């Protein structure tokens, strides 16, 4: 399978995990997903009181300068770890 096919499959698999991953894991896969699909963070940092938005922005922004292909592979690898931990 190509990297794109593996990535697409991982995107679907993460939606059907048997249990919800930790917030840290969710933020990690969010940041990897955004980097893989959009590239470097292109939005303004949310305000101080938008805790959820700020966390998501930071998770994405810390992936800055990561090539999209590398982010896709890291996403696939992380989802595989989550499947092993939580099951499908």
């Amino acid at each position: 399978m190509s990297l794109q096919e593996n990535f697409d499959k991982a995107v679907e698999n993460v939606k059907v995990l048997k249990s919800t991953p930790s917030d840290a894991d969710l933020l990690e896969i969010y940041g990897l997903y955004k980097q893989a699909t959009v590239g470097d963070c292109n939005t303004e940092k949310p305000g101080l009181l938008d805790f959820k938005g700020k966390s998501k922005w930071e998770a994405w922004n810390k992936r800055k300068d990561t090539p999209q292909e590398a982010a896709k592979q890291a996403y696939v690898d992380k989802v595989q770890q989550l499947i092993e931990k939580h099951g499908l």
Side-chain angles (χ1 to χ4, degrees), residues 7 16 19 21 32 43 68 72 80:
F7 178 75
V16 293
S19 59
L32 289 168
T43 61
Q68 287 183 282
K72 284 180 184 180
Q80 187 57 45

Side-chain angles (χ1 to χ4, degrees), residues 10 13-14 17 19 21-22 24-25 28-29 32 63 73-88:
N13 285 341
V14 82
L17 291 171
S19 59
S22 69
D25 286 337
E28 184 176 354
I29 59 174
L32 289 168
R63 304 285 175 192
Q73 186 60 58
Y75 182 92
V76 169
D77 294 343
K78 182 62 179 181
V79 170
Q80 187 57 45
Q81 291 174 2
L82 293 175
I83 289 170
E84 290 169 10
K85 183 175 181 181
H86 297 279
L88 287 177

Side-chain angles (χ1 to χ4, degrees), residues 27-45:
L27 284 171
E28 184 176 354
I29 59 174
Y30 174 83
L32 289 168
Y33 178 83
K34 293 295 279 186
Q35 187 68 25
T37 57
V38 178
D40 287 346
C41 187
N42 58 5
T43 61
E44 291 292 318
K45 187 173 185 176

